[in-house]
Amino acid sequence: EPEVTQTPSHQVTQMGQEVILRCVPISNHLYFYWYRQILGQKVEFLVSFYNNEISEKSEIFDDQFSVERPDGSNFTLKIRSTKLEDSAMYFCASKRTSGSSYEQYFGPGTRLTVT
Amino acid sequence: AQKVTQAQTEISVVEKEDVTLDCVYETRDTTYYLFWYKQPPSGELVFLIRRNSFDEQNEISGRYSWNFQKSTSSFNFTITASQVVDSAVYFCALVESGAGSYQLTFGKGTKLSVIP
C-alpha cells in the first residue's frame, strides 16, 4: 500500500541554522500539507500546497518558513533560521482531490530538535 | 473559539474494559467532515475513520464504534474490550467544506492507557 515517507526521522540543529525537511507524498495525490506538533500538544496546520503553489497557510507559517515541490515527487519544508520554539514533530500529509475523498494520509514525521 | 474539544486529557482503563472518548465540535458550515486519528507511542498518525456531516449513521469496525450526533455536535469513539495495543493518543479532527484547502483542525487529543 502506498504511503507518505519523510526524511530524516530526527534532525538536530543549532539555533539560527537552516533546515530542510523532506517528504515524498503518495504518487497520485495532489494536495500536500505540513503540520506541526509541539511535544505533548495538539497537531497544528502549517501550510497547504496545490498546483505548485501555497493554497493556504496558518499564522504559524511566517517568513521563516517556505515550501517547495522541487520535482515530481518531493515536497519540502524549509525553516531559514531555526529558533528554540521550532522544536517539534513535523508531519507531512497528502490527499487525493477526487470526489469526496478527504482523508489525509500522514507520514511518520520528522522530529526537529533545535539546541 | 476552539473548534474541536476533547475534554478528556487522559483516561486509564483496565484491559477488556470498554472506553468512550468524547469529541465535541463547532462549525458554521453545513457540510463538514469529522475524523479520528490514532497516535501510538511511536509517533505516527494513523487514520481511523471519516464521517460526513450528512451521514449520521453510526459505524462499527471490529472493536471500534463511532457515535455521530449532529444535535449535540458530538462524534464519540468507543473501544470495546480494550487491549494494551490500544494505548495511544487519539485525536478528533474537523474539516470544514468552507476551508479552501480542507486542512484538518485537531482537538488536543485524549491519551488512553490500557493497563494489563
Side-chain angles (χ1 to χ4, degrees), chain B residues 1 16-17 21 42 46 49 64 68 74 79-80 92 95 97-98 103 108 112:
Chain B
K16 296 185 184 176
E17 285 185 347
L21 310 181
S42 50
V46 179
I49 189 170
Y64 294 171
F68 176 31
S74 64
I79 302 174
T80 304
C92 181
V95 167
S97 62
Q103 69 267 24
K108 292 186 176 180
L112 174 65

Side-chain angles (χ1 to χ4, degrees), chain A residues 31 33 35 37 42-43 45 48 55-56 91 95 100-104 106 108, chain B residues 33 35 37 39 43-45 47 50 91 99-104 106-108:
Chain A
Y31 264 105
Y33 303 82
Y35 290 84
Q37 184 184 30
K42 69 176 179 179
V43 180
F45 167 73
S48 58
S55 54
E56 197 148 349
F91 291 102
K95 182 179 79 66
S100 61
S101 176
Y102 288 93
E103 291 98 291
Q104 292 178 29
F106 284 80
Chain B
Y33 302 82
F35 300 78
Y37 282 85
Q39 187 175 42
E44 72 271 26
L45 286 165
F47 165 76
R50 179 197 73 202
F91 291 97
S101 64
Y102 308 118
Q103 69 267 24
L104 288 155
F106 285 85
K108 292 186 176 180

